Amino acid sequence: MPERNWGGGVPRVGVPPPKKNNVCVSPPRAMAEVHVIGQIVGGSGFPQRRLFCKWGLQAGAAWKLLSGSSSGQTQIDDPQADDVAYWCHPLDLHFATKGLQGWPKLSLQVWHQDGLGRSQVLGYGFCHLPATPGGHAVTCVTWRPRGTWRERLRRRFVGGGPQLRNPEAAVVGATERFRLSTEAAGTVHLHLGVLLRNFGRYGVEC
């Protein structure tokens, strides 16, 4: 006699429930994990006000982002008392990895928006996420293309200036950055907390 289901649609014991699409991905087996919690605090030393920051993640093939966004943008801050723009933009990232090669980097772009809503980039930068557990105060010095003297004169009186067609190439490959004529811009400040899990268990030495 076949077994009947008296549970009113509840699956029988031993039959797994149907899978659902979750936002977070479960960590694969035999992989170490890195959890980064913190914020992009703000930027200082830039020549303009009304600043916002775009950010993105770059990591090697051995890394997998389990939860969190791979890119984002802060709000616009218009400092009144000094030249420090405060964003306090939260970061919550969870990685799984099989090795240390390709440790995640954070690429940053600081932009200025004028009163007419026009935006121009003021600086590019990138920094590695800290590799040791605990709290870290990270400073990322930015730069921008210098351009010709005509472009610098136009930037001084009209605004704008040269921009990178592919900013990620300058982060991934140092040879692309070596070809550029650049000048220093401001600094982006971050507070990051790092948690490491299962590194020794799976033979990943940090």
Side-chain angles (χ1 to χ4, degrees), residues 22-26 66-68:
N22 297 324
V23 177
C24 298
V25 181
S26 299
L66 302 180
S67 64

Side-chain angles (χ1 to χ4, degrees), residues 39-61:
Q39 60 179 336
I40 304 176
V41 179
S44 62
F46 292 94
Q48 303 286 349
R49 296 161 56 177
R50 294 181 54 83
L51 305 178
F52 65 95
C53 180
K54 297 180 180 180
W55 62 272
L57 290 173
Q58 301 285 341

Side-chain angles (χ1 to χ4, degrees), residues 40-190:
I40 304 176
V41 179
S44 62
F46 292 94
Q48 303 286 349
R49 296 161 56 177
R50 294 181 54 83
L51 305 178
F52 65 95
C53 180
K54 297 180 180 180
W55 62 272
L57 290 173
Q58 301 285 341
W63 292 77
K64 184 175 183 179
L65 183 63
L66 302 180
S67 64
S69 301
S70 60
S71 61
Q73 178 178 314
T74 71
Q75 84 280 0
I76 299 175
D77 185 47
D78 187 0
Q80 303 296 325
D82 50 25
D83 66 341
V84 181
Y86 290 97
W87 301 310
C88 300
H89 182 80
L91 296 176
D92 192 347
L93 310 170
H94 188 190
F95 296 93
T97 181
K98 295 182 179 179
L100 298 180
Q101 187 174 6
W103 192 274
K105 303 175 184 177
L106 194 63
S107 62
L108 304 169
Q109 300 179 29
V110 178
W111 290 72
H112 161 68
Q113 186 179 88
D114 62 15
L116 300 177
R118 299 173 299 183
S119 298
Q120 63 173 341
V121 64
L122 297 183
Y124 301 92
F126 76 93
C127 59
H128 286 86
L129 297 180
T132 55
H136 304 269
V138 181
T139 58
C140 179
V141 179
T142 64
W143 51 270
R144 63 182 180 182
R146 182 174 176 82
T148 63
W149 69 270
R150 293 179 183 272
E151 291 172 333
R152 295 196 299 272
L153 186 64
R154 182 179 181 274
R155 175 191 295 167
R156 182 177 182 86
F157 292 101
V158 183
Q163 300 181 13
L164 299 181
R165 293 182 179 178
N166 186 12
E168 289 75 14
V171 176
V172 178
T175 55
E176 299 295 332
R177 168 75 187 278
F178 180 75
R179 300 176 183 177
L180 298 175
S181 175
T182 62
E183 60 185 5
T187 303
V188 178
H189 307 273
L190 306 94

